[in-house]
Amino acid sequence: LDYLSNLIFRLNELANTNTPDIPVLKVLQQDLNAQYLLGQMSAYQGMTRMDIYYFMLKKEVWPEDFARIENNNDMYNSLRAELVDKASPAVVKNFRKMEESDEHTITVDFIRNTLRTGKIDTLFNADSWWDNSSLAVDQLKQLQTAIMQKVDKDARAISKRENDLKTRYLVAIVLIVVLVITFVTITAKSISDSLELLRSAAVNIAR
């Protein structure tokens, strides 16, 4: 279990992406941070549900077992607070809506009651707990996936907008260069014509 937990967190670390500190990418970075937090939250909640499932099957729990559940739950709550505080209003709204679902409410309440009483409630058998808590974790992952899809769409839109702007700048520069070349050509021709007239006049005077 510890090996799998470390592997999950390593994969989540690889999902943590930073964008350059550019104003136009600020919202994009906000969503990237939100999906990273959701990934961490689903990992901690996933470990908690696995522990409880294992204890249900084993039918005995030691104090250190509850300590691990409590630590994972504390980390989940800490990440949740950061998400609500720093995520965009749209993400927070969707997250709070997800928290109102029956699957999430039952899972969170069961974990809370388990920690409060110091024992595994017999409300669920192991399979029922596994199925319901799986749906709760999946909701976190689905929200994370939805945010990543939004990030991808927004990134493509920003890229297209910047490329279009770059193209317009390039066209403007080409037009300016053409105008400058035309002006220089006309000016040079005018000067050349003037010099030719002066040369002809000088030749006539010399005669």
Side-chain angles (χ1 to χ4, degrees):
L1 182 61
D2 289 336
Y3 170 77
L4 292 176
S5 299
N6 292 333
L7 180 60
I8 290 171
F9 285 119
R10 177 56 184 156
L11 291 174
N12 279 333
E13 286 295 330
L14 294 175
N16 188 19
T17 307
N18 294 314
T19 62
D21 188 15
I22 302 174
V24 72
L25 299 179
K26 184 177 180 181
V27 175
L28 208 64
Q29 183 62 60
Q30 196 175 26
D31 285 341
L32 284 170
N33 292 341
Q35 70 83 24
Y36 172 71
L37 290 172
L38 285 167
Q40 295 286 87
M41 290 167 65
S42 64
Y44 278 109
Q45 193 170 80
M47 287 189 295
T48 300
R49 67 183 282 261
M50 283 191 289
D51 281 338
I52 292 177
Y53 178 73
Y54 173 68
F55 300 147
M56 284 179 167
L57 293 177
K58 192 172 68 167
K59 299 186 183 306
E60 64 175 340
V61 187
W62 300 100
E64 57 268 24
D65 296 328
F66 277 107
R68 185 165 63 184
I69 294 176
E70 186 172 13
N71 288 337
N72 288 336
N73 192 57
D74 287 344
M75 284 300 301
Y76 175 90
N77 290 329
S78 175
L79 291 164
R80 179 195 176 280
E82 185 176 356
L83 177 74
V84 172
D85 180 55
K86 296 182 179 180
S88 66
V91 170
V92 173
K93 180 180 178 181
N94 290 334
F95 175 72
R96 291 191 185 280
K97 183 178 180 180
M98 181 215 71
E99 286 189 312
E100 295 174 358
S101 70
D102 292 340
E103 296 83 5
H104 181 85
T105 301
I106 292 172
T107 298
V108 170
D109 286 349
F110 188 86
I111 294 172
R112 186 184 299 117
N113 289 334
T114 296
L115 294 173
R116 180 176 57 82
T117 61
K119 62 180 181 179
I120 302 295
D121 199 326
T122 56
L123 174 65
F124 281 108
N125 60 42
D127 291 335
S128 296
W129 162 254
W130 184 258
D131 292 341
N132 186 86
S133 60
S134 174
L135 294 174
V137 174
D138 285 345
Q139 288 178 342
L140 287 169
K141 293 177 180 178
Q142 288 167 7
L143 182 55
Q144 181 188 20
T145 300
I147 293 174
M148 284 307 300
Q149 290 173 345
K150 178 180 179 296
V151 167
D152 180 66
K153 181 180 177 182
D154 291 347
R156 291 176 185 275
I158 291 173
S159 177
K160 184 179 183 303
R161 187 165 62 246
E162 293 299 312
N163 285 335
D164 290 345
L165 187 61
K166 189 186 301 181
T167 300
R168 286 197 293 270
Y169 283 150
L170 183 60
V171 171
I173 291 172
V174 170
L175 289 175
I176 291 172
V177 170
V178 169
L179 288 174
V180 169
I181 292 174
T182 302
F183 175 76
V184 170
T185 301
I186 292 173
T187 301
K189 186 176 184 305
S190 177
I191 293 173
S192 178
D193 292 342
S194 297
L195 289 175
E196 182 62 28
L197 289 174
L198 289 174
R199 189 190 69 80
S200 298
V203 170
N204 291 332
I205 292 173
R207 290 176 182 174

